[in-house]
Amino acid sequence: MFFDTYDTPVFRPPSEARSFILRVTRGCAHNKCTYCNMYRGVQFMMCSDADISKQIALAANYGKASVKRIFLADGDALVVSTDKLLKILSVLYETFPNLQRVSSYAAPQDILRKSVEELRQLKEAGLKLLYYGMESGDDSVLKAVNKGVTGQEAIEAGRRVTLSGMKLSMMIICGLAGTKGSEQHARETAKAINIIQPNMLSALCLMLYRGSELLNQYERGEFDPLSPVGIMREMHSIISRVEINAGHHCLFRSNHVSNYVQLAGTLPKDKNMLLAEMEFSIEKLAKLKDWDVYNNTRY
Ligand code: SF4
């Protein structure tokens, strides 16, 4: 059965804007995180071999030489079996002569279903980068948002990727614990980052998306969100605790649509500069009066 390939929303990281988006799954196999509305209403399924071949043929027809990067969609393409992914990667590198990198999102459960050796095989076959939304290193936050893993498992997932030699781009969400859990979220998240040592780290700010369970919780009075200044303080608290090993570089970005302030630098080199910019923003945001949580609500 063929689908119109783009009949449901497609999400990809900002850095994949020029990539060929190849759908190998539809939706998200987990689809239970309370803060996420990306694939609500989309029934998860694996794309058939025929459907994947059809997309590859269409892109090849458009211009084989122009494809340099490919992003495997949807929400957690790593859920696909290692054997099938290896076959897909082989076809992709045979078809597109200038292909430099294939990447995908990865949920922690999917990473944990693969051994370091399997991840290494996938990396050797050209799956060079995984985008992993760890969100928090704190057990209680991960449980509250229904991430499906413990803090320890979240760390193990990140470690497995870095041990395999794949590049790891990791996302965390500032504000995810609300007011009460903020300090612990900051502390445990920084600890997890320090153990995992990702290659890239993106700090997003919590948004209460329409259709998400977290927005419902807020409307029922069950979730007390941080103000923008509280979120920036939390980000500062995390980054001030982050220790990147000597000789390792971690690109830090805070330039998602959710962020109040656009920040970019390399850790550990730019840590003091990033903290100073956060302190400046905290001072500015502290002057905001009548903050309205619905300013945080989009889509
Ligand atoms: S955050 Fe990721 S794993 Fe969680 S429901 Fe959304 S797409 Fe799925």
Side-chain angles (χ1 to χ4, degrees), residues 14 203-205 207 209 253-262:
L204 280 56
C205 296
M207 294 171 77
Y209 292 102
R253 295 286 180 270
S254 181
N255 58 0
H256 182 253
V257 64
S258 66
N259 290 116
Y260 301 107
V261 184
Q262 307 281 301

Side-chain angles (χ1 to χ4, degrees), residues 11 27-40 74-76 105-110 133 135 145-147 173:
F11 296 89
C28 165
H30 180 58
N31 214 9
K32 291 186 186 123
C33 302
T34 61
Y35 54 87
C36 174
N37 71 347
M38 283 162 68
Y39 302 105
R40 291 280 186 261
D74 276 343
D76 59 341
Y105 284 132
Q109 299 90 329
D110 305 326
E135 332 301 13
V145 302
N146 224 351
K147 192 72 193 172
I173 302 180

Side-chain angles (χ1 to χ4, degrees), residues 18 38 54 56 67 82 84 86 103 106 124 133 151 161 184 196-197 212 217 232 258 271:
R18 299 174 72 82
M38 283 162 68
K54 184 183 152 202
I56 295 171
V67 175
T82 302
K84 182 165 172 172
L86 288 170
S103 59
E124 294 305 322
V161 178
Q184 187 168 315
I196 296 170
Q197 298 283 307
S212 69
Q217 288 175 6
M232 281 309 294
S258 66
K271 182 169 170 176

Side-chain angles (χ1 to χ4, degrees), residues 5-208:
T5 306
Y6 301 114
D7 59 347
T8 52
V10 175
F11 296 89
R12 49 118 185 114
S15 48
E16 301 291 339
R18 299 174 72 82
S19 304
F20 161 35
I21 311 292
L22 172 63
R23 268 190 152 159
V24 298
T25 61
R26 297 164 62 83
C28 165
H30 180 58
N31 214 9
K32 291 186 186 123
C33 302
T34 61
Y35 54 87
C36 174
N37 71 347
M38 283 162 68
Y39 302 105
R40 291 280 186 261
V42 179
Q43 197 192 341
F44 173 78
M45 62 185 302
M46 304 275 185
C47 291
S48 66
D49 292 349
D51 195 15
I52 293 168
S53 301
K54 184 183 152 202
Q55 295 174 64
I56 295 171
L58 278 173
N61 205 25
Y62 181 74
K64 285 183 181 180
S66 62
V67 175
K68 297 192 174 122
R69 290 181 175 190
I70 296 178
F71 178 73
L72 304 180
D74 276 343
D76 59 341
L78 205 73
V79 75
V80 174
S81 74
T82 302
D83 280 352
K84 182 165 172 172
L85 282 172
L86 288 170
K87 278 182 202 140
I88 293 169
L89 290 164
S90 163
V91 171
L92 292 177
Y93 280 92
E94 272 166 25
T95 308
F96 301 104
N98 296 324
L99 183 58
Q100 296 162 356
R101 142 182 137 185
V102 180
S103 59
S104 84
Y105 284 132
Q109 299 90 329
D110 305 326
I111 299 172
L112 293 173
R113 271 192 289 270
K114 303 210 186 293
S115 65
V116 174
E117 188 44 41
E118 282 178 283
L119 292 168
R120 198 171 287 138
Q121 280 177 23
L122 289 167
K123 183 226 159 197
E124 294 305 322
L127 183 61
K128 297 183 180 172
L129 169 65
L130 290 182
Y131 296 91
Y132 164 39
M134 182 183 75
E135 332 301 13
S136 175
D138 181 13
D139 258 344
S140 54
V141 178
L142 292 169
K143 190 170 178 205
V145 302
N146 224 351
K147 192 72 193 172
V149 288
T150 62
Q152 209 41 50
E153 288 167 333
I155 292 171
E156 169 61 21
R159 278 303 288 155
R160 241 178 240 200
V161 178
T162 51
L163 282 172
S164 75
M166 266 187 205
K167 295 264 186 259
L168 176 66
S169 180
M170 205 163 85
M171 281 81 78
I172 56 170
I173 302 180
C174 299
L176 192 58
T179 51
K180 282 198 197 105
S182 177
E183 186 50 33
Q184 187 168 315
H185 170 51
R187 202 174 48 242
E188 296 303 312
T189 301
K191 255 193 228 168
I193 295 166
N194 292 346
I195 297 171
I196 296 170
Q197 298 283 307
N199 304 93
M200 285 149 264
L201 177 67
S202 296
L204 280 56
C205 296
L206 180 70
M207 294 171 77
L208 298 175

